[in-house]
Amino acid sequence: MASNDSDTPAPPLIGITSYLEQAQTGVWDVPASFLPQVYLDAVTDVGGVALVLPPQPVAPGVARGIVSRLDGLILSGGADVDPARYRADPHERTGAPRTDRDAFEAALLEAAIDAGLPLLGICRGAQVINVELGGTLIQHLPDLVGDDRYQAGQGVFTEIDVEVDAESRIGELLSDDRTARAHLYHHQAIDALADGLTATSRTDDGIIESIEIDALPFGVAVQWHPEENREDRRLFAGLVAAAAQYRASRDGGALSPIPPTEHAPKEQP
């Protein structure tokens, strides 16, 4: 006999923004929504359900309607943010603008902040947050640091250890060991930090690697790619736990938070 799980709360629903890219499958060569599986795994590994959100027209109320159906949101990595959004001319190494994605994610971010939705920004996602709240970007880091240490190219991640501030939300997630093995792949970075954001870690040469949105109970963004580290799911576990609490508060239910340590032990050397 099948068990009756009608009283078991549904897992938190986490929306993840994605790309529109030209893709080939079988006889088809068409624009398609695309997101690497590592993002999906990072959410499902810690008990969440991943929902891919492709760029789409942002009519009034669309972003609010999407956010109202989510328990958490991830602004994923990807192409460079259009410099026009922070009133700058494009650098020669800045990628062609993806205005559809910029506009869609900007609308989602505004709706998420208004709703108090738990939010995790990853790489481009951290830059989107900073730009949309009024900050600026360094468009090509080698101009500042002198080499390609932050983006080696050819899909090869640079791995460094990043230590975050003890009193930060991300510091709480990382617990007693406030270091994260950061997989870097960004040729741009935060320059002027927007009002309402707090920088919670920097590299030895001063580049901001994580920020928090002061107005959100859980609004964390990192410049690195935590989805690439399968041995450390602490950030995703923290997001899913916050999403569970958010849903319980919103719906008046009794959904218990998911302890990060239950789902995301960090592998020790």
Side-chain angles (χ1 to χ4, degrees):
M1 177 181 293
S3 62
N4 183 357
D5 60 353
S6 59
D7 294 331
T8 302
L13 184 61
I14 309 297
I16 312 176
T17 59
S18 67
Y19 318 76
L20 283 179
E21 296 289 349
Q22 197 72 17
Q24 292 182 338
T25 177
V27 299
W28 308 109
D29 185 355
V30 296
S33 178
F34 172 79
L35 186 72
Q37 184 180 343
V38 286
Y39 285 98
L40 310 179
D41 292 345
V43 170
T44 59
D45 283 352
V46 295
V49 171
L51 177 66
V52 178
L53 304 173
Q56 53 199 281
V58 190
V62 168
R64 291 193 300 274
I66 293 171
V67 163
S68 71
R69 290 161 174 81
L70 298 176
D71 303 311
L73 176 65
I74 295 174
L75 298 179
S76 67
D80 296 337
V81 178
D82 185 356
R85 299 193 77 89
Y86 49 98
R87 301 164 299 283
D89 294 327
H91 187 283
E92 62 181 9
R93 297 294 299 275
T94 296
R98 303 295 186 90
T99 55
D100 58 344
R101 185 172 179 187
D102 288 343
F104 182 58
E105 292 186 337
L108 286 179
L109 174 63
E110 181 180 5
I113 292 175
D114 287 347
L117 187 73
L119 172 67
L120 172 62
I122 294 175
C123 197
R124 168 191 160 90
Q127 296 171 7
V128 167
I129 291 168
N130 188 56
V131 166
E132 295 308 319
L133 294 184
T136 63
L137 300 180
I138 301 165
Q139 290 195 50
H140 194 54
L141 275 171
D143 292 346
L144 181 66
V145 301
D147 56 36
D148 295 325
R149 73 189 72 170
Y150 288 94
Q151 187 183 82
Q154 303 302 314
V156 177
F157 290 90
T158 300
E159 296 186 34
I160 66 170
D161 289 325
V162 172
E163 183 172 340
V164 302
D165 293 345
E167 302 303 318
S168 65
R169 183 70 179 96
I170 190 173
E172 294 174 4
L173 294 179
L174 299 183
S175 191
D176 293 337
D177 180 359
R178 292 185 290 104
T179 60
R181 190 65 176 169
H183 290 62
L184 305 182
Y185 203 85
H186 61 97
H187 83 109
Q188 300 194 340
I190 291 170
D191 189 5
L193 188 66
D195 291 341
L197 298 179
T198 299
T200 58
S201 69
R202 295 177 185 265
T203 60
D204 291 341
D205 46 18
I207 303 303
I208 294 173
E209 284 294 331
S210 61
I211 58 175
E212 296 183 0
I213 303 174
D214 300 339
L216 287 180
F218 189 100
V220 171
V222 295
Q223 187 63 80
W224 69 87
H225 284 269
E227 77 280 2
E228 293 293 331
N229 190 344
R230 296 181 181 274
E231 286 72 45
D232 186 353
R233 296 301 201 200
R234 289 175 293 175
L235 293 181
F236 296 98
L239 173 67
V240 169
Q245 293 175 318
Y246 175 84
R247 179 193 283 178
S249 175
R250 180 192 63 200
D251 298 345
L255 186 61
S256 298
I258 301 171
T261 54
E262 179 180 332
H263 294 277
K266 182 183 179 184
E267 187 176 83
Q268 298 297 328

